[in-house]
Amino acid sequence: MSEKLGWELVWQNEFDKEYLDKWQHQVGRGEGYGLPAGWGNDELQCYTARPENSYVTEGKLIIQAQKEDYNGANYTSARLRTINKGDWLYGRFEIRAKSQKDKASDL
């Protein structure tokens, strides 16, 4: 779609592998990255690289929050980034995402 509009595709991820080769987990509560606990904005979860919190299946990246006591937090989830694997200052981004907002109330 983007190519038709004059944009050049420079990076994509179709999640066609069982692992995240273009992504890097950030783990913990922020302190390991020079931020106060809660990542500087009072986030309640601890991010992990555990398969309970993030995995690839059927061409989709799944990020799953869990209500559990873990590393001083009441919730766990996953936080991923593409640093040094895909970095841009400007551009157009097309993302397909789905959120299960009803599930969040069950946490």
Side-chain angles (χ1 to χ4, degrees):
M1 178 182 195
S2 297
E3 292 81 8
K4 294 179 184 177
L5 301 173
W7 294 92
E8 176 186 352
L9 178 65
V10 296
W11 192 86
Q12 71 182 35
N13 194 326
E14 300 300 325
F15 300 108
D16 54 356
K17 299 177 182 172
E18 292 184 17
Y19 57 92
L20 297 170
D21 60 338
K22 296 181 179 181
W23 299 83
Q24 174 188 78
H25 282 91
Q26 286 187 288
V27 297
R29 300 193 60 214
E31 301 97 331
Y33 300 90
L35 297 169
W39 294 90
N41 60 359
D42 298 325
E43 293 184 28
L44 300 176
Q45 69 268 11
C46 179
Y47 292 115
T48 79
R50 300 179 309 156
E52 297 96 310
N53 295 118
S54 62
Y55 58 94
V56 175
T57 184
E58 298 178 9
K60 298 176 183 126
L61 168 62
I62 307 297
I63 299 174
Q64 180 73 49
Q66 303 284 337
K67 182 174 176 52
E68 61 180 321
D69 292 328
Y70 187 90
N71 198 26
N74 296 320
Y75 303 92
T76 60
S77 187
R79 180 178 176 129
L80 296 114
R81 61 184 181 172
T82 60
I83 193 165
N84 298 324
K85 298 180 180 195
D87 302 320
W88 304 272
L89 184 57
Y90 303 104
R92 174 187 169 112
F93 299 88
E94 293 183 16
I95 301 164
R96 287 184 319 219
K98 183 177 180 182
S99 174
Q100 295 179 336
K101 63 181 179 180
D102 293 339
K103 290 284 188 181
S105 63
D106 293 339
L107 290 178

